[in-house]
Amino acid sequence: ILLLNRNDCLLWESRFVSVTVMEYLEATVEFSVELIKFVNVDLFNRGYYQIRAEIESDDKLKIDARIHRYEDIRKKPVIVGNVCQSQTFFIEYKHSQTNLHEVFIFQVSFLVDPNQPIESINNADIRLRLSVWADTTGATENGRTRPCLREESSRVLRLHCSVQEGLHSASNVLFDFHTLCAISLIIHGQLWSINQPSIWFSEQSTSANPNGLISGDVEHLLFGRTLQPGDRLEMFDVHRIVRICNAVFYTLLLAQKAAISAIEKHNVYFPNPVNTEEMQFHIGHKLSMYTTKIKMSDCADDLVGIVGSTLASLSAEVMVLWHEYLKNSVPRDPNLKLEDSMVTDYHQMLVKKFSEAFFSSEKPKVLATTSSVIL
């Protein structure tokens, strides 16, 4: 018969409650949205027009979207709150187009499951909302200096930025029939960093669910609670700690590989080609090196420091590669060669999808297995 006194029961209860704390990490993905040109397909009215962009998500995914200015470009966008605004331009004739070449930089942070960070990032529902604002109240190009704009139409693009490949695509967005115009743009996306949740997410989770808490440090992630004086590493599940660290470190190493692959693919179009031979590394060797450091640690406090410094180091390496890519893909002068290459890839992808849809037919499984005629 096992007898427990009141102090043992309280200690057991406190340990049980501490394990129920939700353990998350904060992933940050950065997007570069470059507006290439605005095309007047068949607008009903002439006047002043403007393109606005903002980041959205569904209610299940709480995001913290921030906008930053990219200093290496000539045209600086106007930022109002969480919305980027392009320059205001005047459209008068049918089929006329306006070259914009304006770049919006969005940093989007959200919570991910440390046990499955790759799946959490790849399945994140992040959307780019593009809207057309116009002033068509009899305006002329020289007749009004401050047009009164209102929203005419909007479109939403889902940004699927995978850890393995990032996001590098051109796209053409056609608005509705009443506002028959189009905007061509190029989007780059890259996993930027993974670190412990910020205060903003802790406040959001507490206001949404008073009984739920988000752990804000590495200690809760590794040990399920805050370390106490005298805690030894043998008291915790070391295999679980190694599994979580491997999953997170592997995600950041894949992000580095994705950035290097993007640089190699578009290196021939860069004004200053980058030497990618020095950037190459083997994921397995680098991951085993970090795993060995974790297994050789014999102190819980030292393990927290090793994991925190490794996350910061890997995230910093991804940031350096990403900024190197942006420096060459979004220069002060429009990179027309890279733009033409990405537009060609986008056109070939559309042709491939159209061909697959046109020359294929779906048959029920029963008909496909019983019919003697191949259709």
Side-chain angles (χ1 to χ4, degrees), residues 167-224:
L167 175 61
H168 306 278
S169 176
S171 179
N172 296 320
V173 179
L174 182 65
F175 294 91
D176 57 22
F177 178 76
H178 178 72
T179 313
L180 199 53
C181 58
I183 182 75
S184 61
L185 66 158
I186 292 179
I187 303 175
H188 302 284
Q190 174 69 45
L191 172 63
W192 206 56
S193 66
I194 296 180
N195 46 38
Q196 59 189 15
S198 60
I199 301 177
W200 185 87
F201 285 104
S202 300
E203 293 176 351
Q204 292 292 320
S205 64
T206 304
S207 60
N209 183 13
N211 297 324
L213 298 175
I214 290 181
S215 58
D217 50 27
V218 181
E219 293 182 5
H220 281 89
L221 173 66
L222 301 178
F223 310 114

Side-chain angles (χ1 to χ4, degrees), residues 7 18 92 193:
N7 294 331
S18 63
E92 186 172 7
S193 66

Side-chain angles (χ1 to χ4, degrees), residues 5 11 18 48 56 61 138-139 206 254 265 290 293 307 322 339:
N5 56 24
L11 179 62
S18 63
Y48 289 96
E56 295 180 345
L61 180 66
T206 304
L254 282 180
K265 181 179 180 181
Y290 294 130
K293 289 183 179 180
V307 174
W322 171 244
E339 176 186 331

